[in-house]
Amino acid sequence: FFPPLPEQSNLSGVRHVVLVLSGKGGVGKSTVATQLALALRQAGKKVGILDVDLCGPSIPRMFRVQDSDVHQCDSGWVPVFVDQEKSISLMSIGFLLEKPDDAVVWRGPKKNALIKQFVADVAWGDLDFLVVDTPPGTSDEHISTVEALRPYKPLGAILVTTPQEVAVGDVRRELTFCKKTGLRVLGIVENMSGFVCPHCSECTNVFSKGGGEELAKYAGVPFLGSVPLDPQLSQSLEEGRDFIREFPKSSAFPALVHIAQQVLDSASQQSS
């Protein structure tokens, strides 16, 4: 049994693969993955999101399609489309659970098998970008994901941290993981960096400040930007709305658009 060659596979129509990683849970990887997809769509790109966070699949909820079912076609699973134009498509274990409250109580080999199946058996069609939202850590799910995607030469990884030292320490380990697995780091995003008061516009550094930028300097990788805590962003994620289209005046908007632009720049360098 030989695995299919990349050119015959379901990922052969995908131009660029971007992984969203962090050594830490709760730093907003799914938020960054969601907003990156929305900003890339706004730039006219066709995007897929592969949610390999098997124990906490939040992507379906963030696009308000958590009640959708996944169907089979000749070449595998058909992803769930979030709009009529089919500009964003999703695959997540969240669509495969019978009840939304079901827990995935699986040992490693079963998880790894599903991740390989997710990479090989989803009929994405033609995509400009596939964004892969990963669980926290550097464990076997990550190794399986990187190994399964390696034949398709991923564009690289975005590492998400929050500003405080505890989070930055865990993300430092993620940098080591990228080095060991040969995964290029596109850059570091510092999420939840400061809260801009909607009434007086003063910025309060809830979780200290600047840890992500310092880590990027220390590691010699690009710093992609700081995304402030923004109630409008939280609300749009809770309600499954398109933050990039609906809240252009928000304090988080310029940071998210700037991050997406740097991913587009990296992609055009890879293509040229």
Coordinates of all heavy atoms in Angstrom, one line a residue, residues 75-154:
S75 N -14.7 11.4 -4.1 CA -13.3 11.6 -3.7 C -13.2 11.8 -2.2 O -12.1 12.3 -1.7 CB -12.7 12.8 -4.5 OG -13.5 13.9 -4.5
G76 N -14.2 11.6 -1.4 CA -14.1 11.7 0.1 C -15.2 12.5 0.7 O -16.3 12.5 0.2
W77 N -14.8 13.2 1.8 CA -15.8 14.1 2.5 C -15.9 15.4 1.8 O -14.9 16.0 1.4 CB -15.3 14.3 3.9 CG -15.5 13.1 4.8 CD1 -16.5 12.2 4.7 CD2 -14.7 12.8 5.9 NE1 -16.3 11.3 5.8 CE2 -15.2 11.6 6.5 CE3 -13.6 13.4 6.5 CZ2 -14.7 11.0 7.6 CZ3 -13.0 12.7 7.6 CH2 -13.6 11.6 8.2
V78 N -17.2 15.9 1.7 CA -17.4 17.3 1.2 C -17.3 18.2 2.4 O -18.1 18.0 3.3 CB -18.7 17.4 0.5 CG1 -18.9 18.8 -0.1 CG2 -18.9 16.3 -0.6
P79 N -16.5 19.3 2.3 CA -16.4 20.2 3.4 C -17.7 21.0 3.5 O -18.5 21.0 2.6 CB -15.2 21.1 3.1 CG -15.0 21.0 1.7 CD -15.5 19.6 1.2
V80 N -17.9 21.6 4.7 CA -19.1 22.5 4.9 C -18.8 23.9 4.4 O -17.8 24.5 4.8 CB -19.5 22.5 6.4 CG1 -20.5 23.5 6.7 CG2 -19.9 21.1 6.8
F81 N -19.6 24.4 3.6 CA -19.4 25.8 3.0 C -20.2 26.8 3.9 O -21.3 26.5 4.3 CB -19.9 25.9 1.6 CG -19.1 25.0 0.7 CD1 -19.6 23.8 0.2 CD2 -17.8 25.4 0.2 CE1 -18.9 23.0 -0.6 CE2 -17.1 24.6 -0.6 CZ -17.6 23.4 -1.0
V82 N -19.6 27.9 4.2 CA -20.2 28.9 5.1 C -21.0 29.9 4.3 O -21.7 30.7 4.9 CB -19.2 29.6 6.0 CG1 -18.4 28.6 6.8 CG2 -18.3 30.5 5.2
D83 N -20.9 30.0 3.0 CA -21.6 31.0 2.2 C -22.0 30.4 0.9 O -21.5 29.4 0.4 CB -20.8 32.2 2.1 CG -19.4 31.9 1.4 OD1 -19.2 30.8 1.0 OD2 -18.6 32.8 1.3
Q84 N -22.9 31.1 0.2 CA -23.4 30.7 -1.1 C -22.3 30.6 -2.1 O -22.3 29.8 -3.0 CB -24.5 31.7 -1.6 CG -25.6 31.9 -0.7 CD -26.8 30.9 -0.9 OE1 -27.8 31.3 -0.8 NE2 -26.6 29.6 -1.1
E85 N -21.4 31.6 -2.0 CA -20.3 31.6 -3.0 C -19.2 30.5 -2.8 O -18.3 30.4 -3.6 CB -19.6 33.0 -3.0 CG -20.4 34.2 -3.2 CD -21.2 34.6 -2.0 OE1 -20.6 34.8 -0.9 OE2 -22.4 34.8 -2.1
K86 N -19.4 29.8 -1.7 CA -18.4 28.7 -1.4 C -17.0 29.3 -1.3 O -16.0 28.6 -1.7 CB -18.5 27.6 -2.4 CG -19.9 27.0 -2.5 CD -19.9 25.7 -3.3 CE -21.2 25.0 -3.2 NZ -21.3 23.7 -3.9
S87 N -16.9 30.5 -0.7 CA -15.5 31.1 -0.6 C -14.8 30.6 0.6 O -13.6 30.7 0.7 CB -15.7 32.6 -0.6 OG -16.5 33.1 0.5
I88 N -15.5 30.1 1.7 CA -14.9 29.5 2.8 C -15.5 28.2 3.1 O -16.7 28.1 3.2 CB -15.0 30.4 4.1 CG1 -14.3 31.8 3.9 CG2 -14.4 29.7 5.3 CD1 -14.3 32.7 5.1
S89 N -14.6 27.2 3.2 CA -15.1 25.8 3.5 C -14.4 25.3 4.7 O -13.3 25.6 5.0 CB -14.9 24.9 2.3 OG -13.5 25.0 1.8
L90 N -15.1 24.4 5.5 CA -14.6 24.0 6.8 C -14.7 22.4 6.9 O -15.6 21.8 6.4 CB -15.5 24.5 7.9 CG -15.9 26.0 7.9 CD1 -16.8 26.3 9.1 CD2 -14.6 26.9 8.0
M91 N -13.8 21.9 7.6 CA -13.9 20.5 8.1 C -13.4 20.4 9.5 O -12.4 21.0 9.9 CB -13.0 19.6 7.2 CG -13.1 18.1 7.6 SD -14.7 17.4 7.9 CE -15.2 17.2 6.2
S92 N -14.3 19.7 10.3 CA -14.0 19.7 11.8 C -14.7 18.4 12.3 O -15.7 18.0 11.8 CB -14.6 20.9 12.4 OG -14.6 20.7 13.9
I93 N -14.1 17.9 13.4 CA -14.7 16.7 14.0 C -16.1 17.2 14.6 O -16.9 16.3 14.9 CB -13.8 16.1 15.1 CG1 -14.3 14.7 15.5 CG2 -13.7 17.0 16.3 CD1 -13.4 13.9 16.4
G94 N -16.2 18.5 14.8 CA -17.5 19.0 15.4 C -18.7 18.6 14.5 O -19.8 18.4 15.0
F95 N -18.4 18.4 13.2 CA -19.5 18.0 12.3 C -19.8 16.5 12.4 O -20.8 16.1 11.8 CB -19.2 18.4 10.8 CG -18.9 19.8 10.6 CD1 -17.8 20.2 9.9 CD2 -19.8 20.8 11.0 CE1 -17.6 21.6 9.7 CE2 -19.6 22.1 10.7 CZ -18.5 22.5 10.1
L96 N -18.9 15.8 12.9 CA -19.1 14.3 12.9 C -19.6 13.8 14.3 O -19.9 12.6 14.4 CB -17.7 13.7 12.7 CG -17.0 14.1 11.4 CD1 -15.6 13.4 11.3 CD2 -17.8 13.8 10.1
L97 N -19.7 14.7 15.3 CA -20.2 14.2 16.6 C -21.8 14.2 16.5 O -22.4 15.0 16.0 CB -19.8 15.2 17.7 CG -18.3 15.3 17.9 CD1 -18.0 16.4 18.9 CD2 -17.6 14.0 18.3
E98 N -22.3 13.1 17.1 CA -23.8 13.0 17.1 C -24.5 14.1 17.9 O -25.5 14.7 17.5 CB -24.2 11.6 17.7 CG -24.0 10.5 16.6 CD -24.6 9.2 17.0 OE1 -25.4 9.2 18.0 OE2 -24.3 8.2 16.4
K99 N -23.9 14.4 19.1 CA -24.4 15.5 19.9 C -23.3 16.5 20.2 O -22.1 16.1 20.4 CB -24.9 14.9 21.3 CG -26.0 13.9 21.2 CD -26.7 13.8 22.5 CE -26.8 12.4 23.1 NZ -26.0 11.3 22.8
P100 N -23.6 17.8 20.2 CA -22.6 18.8 20.3 C -21.8 18.6 21.7 O -20.6 19.0 21.8 CB -23.3 20.1 20.3 CG -24.8 19.8 20.4 CD -25.0 18.4 20.0
D101 N -22.4 18.0 22.7 CA -21.7 17.9 24.0 C -20.9 16.6 24.1 O -20.3 16.3 25.1 CB -22.7 17.9 25.1 CG -23.5 19.2 25.2 OD1 -23.0 20.2 24.6 OD2 -24.5 19.3 25.8
D102 N -20.9 15.8 23.0 CA -20.1 14.5 23.1 C -18.6 14.9 23.2 O -18.1 15.8 22.6 CB -20.2 13.7 21.8 CG -21.6 13.0 21.7 OD1 -22.3 13.1 22.7 OD2 -21.9 12.4 20.7
A103 N -17.9 14.1 24.1 CA -16.5 14.3 24.3 C -15.8 13.3 23.4 O -16.2 12.1 23.3 CB -16.1 14.1 25.8
V104 N -14.6 13.7 22.9 CA -13.8 12.8 22.1 C -12.8 12.1 23.1 O -11.8 12.7 23.4 CB -13.1 13.5 21.0 CG1 -12.2 12.6 20.2 CG2 -14.1 14.2 20.1
V105 N -13.2 10.9 23.6 CA -12.3 10.2 24.6 C -11.5 9.2 23.8 O -12.0 8.0 23.8 CB -13.2 9.6 25.7 CG1 -12.3 9.1 26.8 CG2 -14.1 10.7 26.3
W106 N -10.5 9.6 23.1 CA -9.7 8.7 22.3 C -8.3 8.6 22.7 O -7.7 9.6 23.1 CB -9.8 9.2 20.8 CG -11.1 9.1 20.2 CD1 -12.3 8.6 20.7 CD2 -11.4 9.5 18.8 NE1 -13.3 8.7 19.7 CE2 -12.8 9.3 18.6 CE3 -10.7 10.1 17.8 CZ2 -13.4 9.6 17.4 CZ3 -11.3 10.4 16.6 CH2 -12.6 10.1 16.4
R107 N -7.7 7.5 22.5 CA -6.2 7.4 22.6 C -5.5 7.9 21.3 O -6.2 8.1 20.3 CB -5.8 5.9 22.9 CG -6.2 5.4 24.2 CD -5.6 4.1 24.5 NE -6.1 3.5 25.7 CZ -5.6 3.7 26.9 NH1 -4.6 4.6 27.1 NH2 -6.1 3.2 28.0
G108 N -4.2 8.1 21.5 CA -3.4 8.7 20.4 C -3.6 8.1 19.0 O -3.9 8.8 18.0
P109 N -3.5 6.8 18.9 CA -3.6 6.2 17.5 C -4.9 6.5 16.8 O -4.9 6.8 15.6 CB -3.4 4.7 17.8 CG -2.7 4.6 19.1 CD -3.1 5.8 19.9
K110 N -6.0 6.5 17.5 CA -7.3 6.8 16.8 C -7.3 8.3 16.4 O -7.8 8.6 15.3 CB -8.4 6.5 17.8 CG -9.8 6.4 17.1 CD -10.8 5.9 18.0 CE -12.2 5.9 17.3 NZ -13.3 5.5 18.2
K111 N -6.8 9.2 17.2 CA -6.7 10.6 16.9 C -5.9 10.8 15.6 O -6.2 11.5 14.7 CB -6.2 11.4 18.0 CG -7.1 11.7 19.2 CD -6.4 12.6 20.2 CE -7.2 12.8 21.4 NZ -6.4 13.4 22.5
N112 N -4.7 10.1 15.7 CA -3.8 10.3 14.5 C -4.4 9.8 13.2 O -4.2 10.4 12.2 CB -2.4 9.6 14.9 CG -1.7 10.2 16.1 OD1 -2.1 11.3 16.5 ND2 -0.8 9.5 16.6
A113 N -5.1 8.7 13.3 CA -5.7 8.1 12.1 C -6.7 9.1 11.6 O -6.8 9.3 10.3 CB -6.4 6.8 12.5
L114 N -7.5 9.8 12.4 CA -8.5 10.7 12.0 C -7.8 11.9 11.3 O -8.3 12.4 10.3 CB -9.4 11.2 13.1 CG -10.5 12.2 12.6 CD1 -11.5 11.5 11.6 CD2 -11.3 12.8 13.7
I115 N -6.7 12.4 11.9 CA -6.0 13.5 11.3 C -5.5 13.2 9.9 O -5.7 14.0 9.0 CB -4.9 14.0 12.3 CG1 -5.5 14.7 13.5 CG2 -3.9 14.9 11.5 CD1 -4.5 15.0 14.6
K116 N -4.9 12.0 9.8 CA -4.5 11.6 8.5 C -5.6 11.5 7.5 O -5.5 11.9 6.3 CB -3.8 10.2 8.5 CG -2.4 10.4 9.1 CD -1.7 9.0 9.3 CE -0.4 9.2 10.0 NZ -0.1 8.0 10.9
Q117 N -6.8 11.1 8.0 CA -8.0 11.0 7.1 C -8.5 12.4 6.7 O -8.8 12.6 5.6 CB -9.1 10.2 7.8 CG -10.1 9.6 6.9 CD -11.1 8.8 7.7 OE1 -11.0 8.5 8.9 NE2 -12.2 8.4 7.0
F118 N -8.4 13.3 7.7 CA -8.8 14.7 7.4 C -7.9 15.3 6.3 O -8.4 16.0 5.5 CB -8.7 15.5 8.7 CG -9.9 15.6 9.5 CD1 -9.9 16.2 10.8 CD2 -11.1 15.1 9.0 CE1 -11.1 16.3 11.5 CE2 -12.3 15.2 9.8 CZ -12.3 15.8 11.1
V119 N -6.6 15.0 6.4 CA -5.7 15.6 5.4 C -5.9 14.9 4.0 O -5.9 15.6 3.0 CB -4.2 15.4 5.9 CG1 -3.3 15.8 4.7 CG2 -4.0 16.3 7.1
A120 N -6.1 13.6 4.0 CA -6.2 12.9 2.7 C -7.6 12.9 2.1 O -7.8 12.9 0.9 CB -5.7 11.4 2.9
D121 N -8.7 12.9 2.9 CA -10.0 12.5 2.4 C -11.0 13.6 2.3 O -12.2 13.3 2.2 CB -10.6 11.3 3.3 CG -9.8 10.1 3.1 OD1 -9.0 10.0 2.2 OD2 -10.0 9.1 3.9
V122 N -10.6 14.9 2.4 CA -11.6 16.0 2.3 C -11.4 16.5 0.9 O -10.3 16.9 0.5 CB -11.3 17.1 3.4 CG1 -12.3 18.2 3.2 CG2 -11.5 16.5 4.8
A123 N -12.5 16.6 0.2 CA -12.5 17.1 -1.2 C -12.6 18.6 -1.2 O -13.7 19.2 -1.4 CB -13.7 16.5 -2.0
W124 N -11.4 19.2 -1.1 CA -11.4 20.7 -0.9 C -11.6 21.4 -2.3 O -12.1 22.6 -2.3 CB -10.0 21.2 -0.4 CG -9.8 20.8 1.0 CD1 -8.9 19.8 1.4 CD2 -10.4 21.3 2.2 NE1 -8.9 19.7 2.8 CE2 -9.8 20.6 3.3 CE3 -11.3 22.3 2.5 CZ2 -10.2 20.8 4.6 CZ3 -11.7 22.5 3.8 CH2 -11.1 21.8 4.9
G125 N -11.3 20.7 -3.4 CA -11.4 21.4 -4.7 C -10.2 22.4 -4.8 O -9.2 22.2 -4.2
D126 N -10.5 23.5 -5.5 CA -9.4 24.5 -5.7 C -9.5 25.6 -4.5 O -10.6 26.1 -4.3 CB -9.6 25.3 -7.0 CG -9.2 24.3 -8.2 OD1 -8.4 23.4 -8.0 OD2 -9.8 24.5 -9.2
L127 N -8.4 25.7 -3.8 CA -8.3 26.7 -2.7 C -7.0 27.5 -2.9 O -6.0 27.0 -3.3 CB -8.2 26.0 -1.4 CG -9.4 25.3 -0.8 CD1 -9.1 24.7 0.6 CD2 -10.7 26.2 -0.7
D128 N -7.1 28.8 -2.6 CA -5.9 29.6 -2.5 C -5.1 29.3 -1.2 O -3.9 29.2 -1.2 CB -6.2 31.1 -2.5 CG -6.8 31.5 -3.9 OD1 -6.2 31.3 -4.9 OD2 -8.0 32.0 -3.9
F129 N -5.9 29.1 -0.1 CA -5.3 28.9 1.2 C -6.1 27.8 2.0 O -7.3 27.8 2.0 CB -5.3 30.2 2.1 CG -4.3 31.2 1.6 CD1 -4.7 32.2 0.7 CD2 -3.0 31.2 2.1 CE1 -3.8 33.1 0.3 CE2 -2.1 32.1 1.6 CZ -2.5 33.1 0.7
L130 N -5.3 26.9 2.6 CA -5.9 26.0 3.6 C -5.3 26.4 5.0 O -4.1 26.3 5.1 CB -5.6 24.6 3.3 CG -6.2 23.6 4.3 CD1 -7.7 23.6 4.4 CD2 -5.7 22.1 4.0
V131 N -6.1 26.9 5.9 CA -5.7 27.3 7.2 C -5.9 26.1 8.2 O -7.1 25.6 8.3 CB -6.4 28.5 7.7 CG1 -5.9 28.9 9.1 CG2 -6.2 29.7 6.7
V132 N -4.9 25.6 8.9 CA -5.1 24.4 9.8 C -5.0 24.9 11.2 O -4.0 25.4 11.7 CB -3.9 23.4 9.5 CG1 -4.2 22.2 10.4 CG2 -3.9 23.0 8.0
D133 N -6.2 24.8 11.9 CA -6.3 25.2 13.3 C -5.9 24.0 14.2 O -6.6 22.9 14.1 CB -7.7 25.6 13.6 CG -7.9 26.2 15.0 OD1 -6.9 26.6 15.6 OD2 -9.0 26.1 15.5
T134 N -4.9 24.1 15.0 CA -4.4 22.9 15.7 C -4.7 23.0 17.2 O -5.0 24.1 17.7 CB -2.8 22.8 15.6 OG1 -2.3 24.0 16.2 CG2 -2.4 22.8 14.2
P135 N -4.7 21.9 17.9 CA -4.8 21.9 19.4 C -3.6 22.5 20.0 O -2.6 22.6 19.4 CB -5.0 20.4 19.8 CG -4.4 19.7 18.7 CD -4.5 20.5 17.5
P136 N -3.7 22.9 21.3 CA -2.4 23.4 22.0 C -1.4 22.2 22.2 O -1.8 21.1 22.3 CB -2.9 23.8 23.4 CG -4.3 23.3 23.5 CD -4.8 22.9 22.2
G137 N -0.1 22.6 22.2 CA 0.9 21.6 22.5 C 1.8 21.3 21.4 O 1.8 21.9 20.3
T138 N 2.6 20.3 21.6 CA 3.6 19.8 20.6 C 3.6 18.3 20.6 O 4.6 17.6 20.5 CB 5.0 20.3 20.9 OG1 5.3 19.9 22.3 CG2 5.1 21.8 20.8
S139 N 2.4 17.7 20.7 CA 2.3 16.2 20.9 C 2.0 15.5 19.7 O 2.2 16.0 18.6 CB 1.2 16.0 22.0 OG 0.0 16.5 21.5
D140 N 1.5 14.2 19.8 CA 1.4 13.4 18.6 C 0.4 14.0 17.5 O 0.6 13.8 16.4 CB 1.1 11.9 18.9 CG 0.1 11.7 20.0 OD1 -0.2 12.7 20.7 OD2 -0.4 10.6 20.1
E141 N -0.6 14.7 18.0 CA -1.5 15.3 17.0 C -0.8 16.2 16.0 O -1.0 16.3 14.8 CB -2.7 16.0 17.6 CG -3.8 15.1 18.1 CD -4.0 15.3 19.6 OE1 -3.2 14.9 20.4 OE2 -5.1 15.8 19.9
H142 N 0.1 17.0 16.6 CA 0.9 17.9 15.8 C 1.9 17.2 14.9 O 2.0 17.6 13.7 CB 1.7 18.9 16.8 CG 0.8 19.7 17.6 ND1 0.3 19.2 18.8 CD2 0.4 20.9 17.5 CE1 -0.5 20.1 19.3 NE2 -0.4 21.2 18.6
I143 N 2.5 16.2 15.4 CA 3.5 15.4 14.6 C 2.7 14.8 13.4 O 3.1 14.9 12.3 CB 4.2 14.4 15.4 CG1 5.0 15.1 16.5 CG2 5.1 13.5 14.6 CD1 5.5 14.1 17.6
S144 N 1.5 14.2 13.7 CA 0.7 13.6 12.6 C 0.3 14.6 11.6 O 0.4 14.4 10.4 CB -0.6 13.0 13.2 OG -0.3 11.9 14.0
T145 N -0.1 15.8 12.1 CA -0.5 16.9 11.1 C 0.6 17.3 10.2 O 0.5 17.4 9.0 CB -1.1 18.1 11.9 OG1 -2.1 17.6 12.8 CG2 -1.7 19.1 11.0
V146 N 1.8 17.6 10.8 CA 2.9 18.1 10.1 C 3.4 17.0 9.1 O 3.7 17.3 7.9 CB 4.0 18.5 11.0 CG1 5.3 18.9 10.2 CG2 3.6 19.8 11.8
E147 N 3.4 15.8 9.6 CA 3.9 14.7 8.7 C 2.9 14.5 7.5 O 3.3 14.3 6.4 CB 4.1 13.4 9.4 CG 5.4 13.4 10.2 CD 5.6 12.1 11.0 OE1 4.7 11.2 11.1 OE2 6.7 12.0 11.6
A148 N 1.6 14.5 7.8 CA 0.6 14.3 6.7 C 0.6 15.4 5.7 O 0.4 15.2 4.5 CB -0.8 14.1 7.4
L149 N 1.0 16.6 6.2 CA 1.0 17.8 5.3 C 2.3 18.0 4.6 O 2.4 18.7 3.6 CB 0.6 19.1 6.0 CG -0.8 19.2 6.5 CD1 -1.0 20.3 7.5 CD2 -1.8 19.4 5.3
R150 N 3.4 17.4 5.1 CA 4.7 17.6 4.5 C 4.8 17.5 3.0 O 5.4 18.3 2.3 CB 5.7 16.7 5.2 CG 7.2 17.0 4.8 CD 8.2 16.5 5.7 NE 8.4 17.3 6.9 CZ 8.4 16.8 8.1 NH1 8.3 15.5 8.3 NH2 8.5 17.6 9.1
P151 N 4.2 16.4 2.4 CA 4.3 16.3 0.9 C 3.8 17.5 0.2 O 4.1 17.7 -1.0 CB 3.5 15.1 0.6 CG 3.3 14.3 1.9 CD 3.4 15.3 3.0
Y152 N 2.9 18.3 0.8 CA 2.3 19.5 0.1 C 3.1 20.8 0.4 O 2.6 21.8 0.0 CB 0.8 19.6 0.6 CG 0.1 18.2 0.4 CD1 0.0 17.4 1.5 CD2 -0.2 17.8 -0.8 CE1 -0.6 16.2 1.4 CE2 -0.8 16.5 -1.0 CZ -1.0 15.7 0.2 OH -1.5 14.5 0.0
K153 N 4.2 20.7 1.0 CA 5.1 21.8 1.3 C 4.4 23.0 1.9 O 4.1 24.0 1.2 CB 5.8 22.2 0.0 CG 6.7 21.1 -0.6 CD 7.5 21.6 -1.8 CE 8.5 20.5 -2.3 NZ 7.8 19.2 -2.5
P154 N 3.9 22.9 3.1 CA 3.2 24.0 3.7 C 4.0 25.4 3.6 O 5.2 25.4 3.7 CB 3.1 23.6 5.2 CG 3.2 22.1 5.2 CD 4.2 21.8 4.1

